[in-house]
Amino acid sequence: NKNYEQSGEITRNIQHYYSKMYDNPQFSDVVLAISPNAFAEQVRLYSHRAILSSYSIYFERMFAGALKESNY
């Protein structure tokens, strides 16, 4: 089916462009500092508010200013 093939290609293109944004400091608008425990060194993960918000109500509320963490 031609529509199915076009849909698959669109999905591959989106995945390609999202992968270019993954953990890329260029154009990111938020940095997550992640540590497995209080004694381990933090790892910085570059991300995007719009993407995090679309996947998580927590991030949506934080970036909208509804949580105390939004003030950092």
Side-chain angles (χ1 to χ4, degrees), residues 27-57:
F27 306 122
S28 71
D29 58 359
V30 65
V31 179
L32 304 174
I34 302 169
S35 178
N37 60 56
F39 305 104
E41 186 176 336
Q42 289 184 342
V43 175
R44 294 186 176 285
L45 178 65
Y46 297 92
S47 193
H48 306 270
R49 292 173 186 230
I51 294 171
L52 291 171
S53 296
S54 70
Y55 283 95
S56 166
I57 190 73

Side-chain angles (χ1 to χ4, degrees), residues 2-36:
K2 187 173 183 169
N3 287 338
Y4 181 76
E5 290 174 13
Q6 289 175 339
S7 174
E9 184 163 340
I10 290 170
T11 300
R12 284 189 297 279
N13 285 339
I14 290 171
Q15 289 172 339
H16 170 74
Y17 290 113
Y18 272 139
S19 70
K20 289 174 65 173
M21 293 189 314
Y22 176 74
D23 199 21
N24 185 343
Q26 184 181 23
F27 306 122
S28 71
D29 58 359
V30 65
V31 179
L32 304 174
I34 302 169
S35 178

